[in-house]
């Protein structure tokens, strides 16, 4: 059984995310020969993150393994523990499209008697010299000026992070939400809201909440929901 070592890495620099990989034959005619080396910028930080880049780096290595390889053992090594865990137990995490591709190419290689193993190696491990080499490739990709190699999907966790950050910057409630409350207090619920309620008793807090939301037991609200004939007070 002859071994092929694959080292992958990812890096983010100045809002750009890159990946790198090195494929080395340890038992060929020239032991340690580098079969492939790649350094690719896959997208901006708005669309990608280091985790999804690690997955794409692994998929790239397996994607490029030719069908003619038989009865070899390929060991993919990465410093991303989360990437190894999601490949082992895929559920609903980000990067599912790439995880499925990894499993598809793993199955393709296994049909020819090959073994594919995923191995987590701590970053900076002195017994893993390929780690520093492949990290250099990933950093080169992140610092480069080339365009992404292919159209990229946007990671779900990245979309959520951006949406949350944008909402925090605006410090306002979305349009169409709490219109009545925004006429009273234009700021989004925050520490000042807690200050209003924390000093009140339960019944007083209930009354204030009803008044701030416009859902109090007065005719203007009761008439709106069909519980009173008129919105005029007696």
């Amino acid at each position: 059984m002859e071994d092929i070592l694959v080292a992958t890495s990812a890096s983010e620099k100045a809002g750009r995310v890159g990946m790198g990989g090195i494929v080395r034959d340890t038992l060929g005619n020239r032991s340690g020969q580098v079969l492939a080396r790649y350094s690719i910028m896959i997208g901006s930080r708005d669309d990608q993150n280091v985790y999804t880049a690690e997955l794409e780096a692994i998929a790239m290595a397996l994607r490029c393994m030719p069908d003619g390889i038989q009865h070899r053992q390929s060991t993919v090594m990465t410093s991303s523990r989360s990437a190894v865990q999601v490949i082992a137990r895929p559920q609903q995490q980000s990067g599912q499209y790439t995880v499925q591709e990894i499993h598809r190419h793993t199955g393709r290689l296994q049909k020819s008697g090959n073994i594919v193993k995923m191995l987590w190696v701590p970053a900076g491990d002195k017994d893993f010299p390929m780690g520093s080499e492949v990290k250099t490739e990933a950093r080169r990709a992140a610092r480069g000026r080339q365009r992404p190699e292919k159209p990229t999907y946007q990671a779900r966790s990245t979309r959520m992070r951006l949406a949350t950050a944008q909402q925090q910057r605006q410090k306002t409630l979305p349009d169409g939400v709490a219109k009545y409350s925004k006429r009273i207090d234009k700021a989004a619920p925050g520490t000042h809201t807690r200050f209003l309620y924390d000093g009140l008793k339960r019944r007083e807090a209930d009354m204030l909440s009803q008044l701030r939301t416009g859902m109090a037991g007065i005719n203007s609200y009761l008439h709106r929901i069909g519980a009173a004939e008129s919105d005029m007070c007696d």
Side-chain angles (χ1 to χ4, degrees):
M1 184 73 70
E2 296 184 351
D3 292 344
I4 297 175
L5 295 182
V6 179
T8 63
S9 185
S11 180
E12 186 267 328
K13 185 72 173 178
R16 298 162 63 87
V17 181
M19 68 175 186
I22 297 176
V23 183
R24 180 166 287 167
D25 188 346
T26 63
L27 296 176
N29 294 329
R30 292 189 295 171
S31 180
Q33 178 186 10
V34 174
L35 301 178
R37 184 187 298 267
Y38 52 92
S39 178
I40 302 171
M41 198 279 283
I42 66 169
S44 71
R45 186 66 178 87
D46 290 343
D47 297 319
Q48 302 295 329
N49 55 52
V50 173
Y51 158 74
T52 56
E54 286 276 6
L55 291 176
E56 182 60 32
I58 295 172
M60 171 68 75
L62 298 178
R63 190 184 303 132
C64 295
M65 293 279 187
D67 292 334
I69 293 181
Q70 296 182 349
H71 306 292
R72 304 290 300 271
Q73 177 172 300
S74 298
T75 302
V76 180
M77 295 171 288
T78 174
S79 61
S80 174
R81 177 180 289 180
S82 57
V84 173
Q85 290 175 337
V86 74
I87 292 171
R89 300 183 64 181
Q91 295 178 357
Q92 297 297 323
Q93 305 92 332
S94 295
Q96 286 301 303
Y97 176 84
T98 309
V99 172
Q100 292 174 10
E101 186 177 13
I102 290 171
H103 281 279
R104 184 166 62 253
H105 286 292
T106 297
R108 173 178 62 84
L109 293 169
Q110 289 173 339
K111 288 181 180 179
S112 299
N114 298 292
I115 297 175
V116 180
K117 301 171 70 174
M118 303 290 167
L119 180 65
W120 171 71
V121 181
D125 191 327
K126 295 181 179 179
D127 295 327
F128 181 45
M130 288 178 67
S132 59
E133 293 182 53
V134 74
K135 191 65 178 180
T136 299
E137 298 294 335
R139 287 171 176 166
R140 181 182 295 116
R143 291 170 179 167
R145 297 296 181 183
Q146 74 269 31
R147 293 180 178 274
E149 286 289 316
K150 64 176 183 178
T152 57
Y153 58 88
Q154 191 177 54
R156 182 180 61 183
S157 60
T158 302
R159 291 199 304 268
M160 293 176 63
R161 176 185 60 81
L162 292 173
T164 301
Q166 182 179 11
Q167 193 63 44
Q168 289 176 343
R169 286 195 300 268
Q170 293 176 346
K171 291 296 182 183
T172 57
L173 293 172
D175 292 338
V177 176
K179 292 181 179 179
Y180 183 91
S181 297
K182 284 194 287 187
R183 290 202 300 268
I184 299 174
D185 187 351
K186 293 184 179 181
T191 55
H192 74 290
T193 310
R194 291 187 56 186
F195 178 78
L196 290 174
Y197 288 95
D198 286 349
L200 301 177
K201 296 180 180 179
R202 173 65 180 273
R203 184 173 179 79
E204 295 172 334
D206 288 344
M207 293 177 61
L208 177 60
S209 176
Q210 292 174 17
L211 291 171
R212 285 174 57 83
T213 58
M215 298 180 181
I218 56 179
N219 280 10
S220 60
Y221 172 67
L222 297 176
H223 177 67
R224 193 164 71 245
I225 64 173
E229 295 182 358
S230 171
D231 61 353
M232 302 298 292
C233 296
D234 295 335

